[in-house]
Amino acid sequence: MSRRLVSLTLDTLEDLPRRCRRCVYWELDPVSAERACAAGDPGLEKEAWVSQTLLEWGSCGKLAYVDGMPAGFVMYAPPAYVPRSMAFPTSPVSADAALLMTASVVPAFAGGGLGRMLVQGVARDLTKRGIKAIEAFGDAKFGDDAENDPTRACVAPADFFLSVGFKTVRPHPRYPRLRLELRTALSWKSDVEYALEKLLGSMSPETLLRPVRPAPATRAMG
């Protein structure tokens, strides 16, 4: 099972999930985003944003592939490039940080360390540019009422950020702002990840997909 990380470009943009490929939740302010969706082709606005950000600032996303299949992605940029960031109750993003806008791992590949792999790829990239930290707005109630408000899926779960090393810097019942110091991300033990990948690589797809036996039931205490 091979894993690789590549930068988001206008070519790899097409490998984003269809819903995300046409989503401009982060790239435009709320009014402009609504107008773009009403016009019928927000995908063009998405492409224009990626093109401008690549030209003016540089890499603004990473994609993870497992055996050649798109398995997850993350997008990030300075807050000045992300109009939606000012709409959150816990804004603004700190002056020394880039904003991690959204992150997602395909459910079939969840739990394999791809989230951490993506964040570490962002950390390496931003460290080279002299940026000190990554910040993000997490959704502390991710999934609640998502069917009635699909855009809520655009904000990654706060639990995801906490699980990959972020710390809460401004609490909020719904949208806490979280922060990861890049020196922390770069100190993660790469040998552990290498050992995990070797283990996964030695396992057959049948083994990986075999259901886990449920643990024996135990009587509740109390």
Side-chain angles (χ1 to χ4, degrees):
M1 181 176 290
S2 65
R3 301 189 300 175
R4 65 188 179 98
L5 206 61
V6 304
S7 294
L8 179 68
T9 65
L10 292 179
D11 294 327
T12 57
L13 180 63
E14 300 306 320
D15 283 341
L16 293 183
R18 177 177 293 273
R19 175 181 58 81
C20 302
R21 171 63 181 85
R22 293 175 51 81
C23 176
V24 287
Y25 176 86
W26 289 101
E27 293 82 358
L28 300 176
D29 65 80
V31 173
S32 298
E34 187 175 342
R35 187 180 301 126
C37 291
D41 198 356
L44 289 176
E45 295 285 352
K46 182 88 163 192
E47 184 173 335
W49 183 90
V50 170
S51 178
Q52 180 181 6
T53 305
L54 285 170
L55 286 171
E56 296 180 358
W57 185 66
S59 179
C60 56
K62 299 286 182 186
L63 290 94
Y65 294 82
V66 175
D67 290 342
M69 296 176 59
F73 75 97
V74 63
M75 293 185 66
Y76 55 97
Y81 282 77
V82 190
R84 173 73 65 165
S85 67
M86 293 306 298
F88 284 82
T90 48
S91 65
V93 173
S94 301
D96 64 347
L99 175 65
L100 197 159
M101 300 150 57
T102 189
S104 179
V105 173
V106 174
F109 298 104
L114 288 181
R116 177 163 290 207
M117 177 181 170
L118 285 161
V119 171
Q120 192 167 31
V122 175
R124 289 195 187 102
D125 179 35
L126 294 179
T127 298
K128 294 175 184 176
R129 304 196 220 181
I131 295 173
K132 303 296 185 185
I134 312 169
E135 292 192 359
F137 299 104
D139 187 347
K141 298 181 180 180
F142 184 82
D144 291 2
D145 202 31
E147 291 184 2
N148 295 326
D149 186 3
T151 62
R152 286 187 173 178
C154 301
V155 184
D159 285 347
F160 165 76
F161 293 116
L162 293 170
S163 73
V164 295
F166 281 72
K167 305 296 183 186
T168 302
V169 291
R170 189 167 178 193
H172 186 269
R174 184 67 195 248
Y175 295 118
R177 179 159 50 91
L178 306 104
R179 179 179 173 95
L180 177 66
E181 303 293 338
L182 293 188
R183 63 177 181 271
T184 300
L186 294 177
S187 70
W188 290 334
K189 297 297 184 182
S190 59
D191 55 337
V192 174
E193 295 186 358
Y194 176 74
L196 175 63
E197 183 157 353
K198 291 289 286 184
L199 172 65
L200 292 175
S202 68
M203 299 174 71
S204 67
E206 292 79 9
T207 303
L208 290 171
L209 297 175
R210 186 177 301 155
V212 178
R213 290 183 180 178
T218 57
R219 294 177 60 186
M221 299 295 292

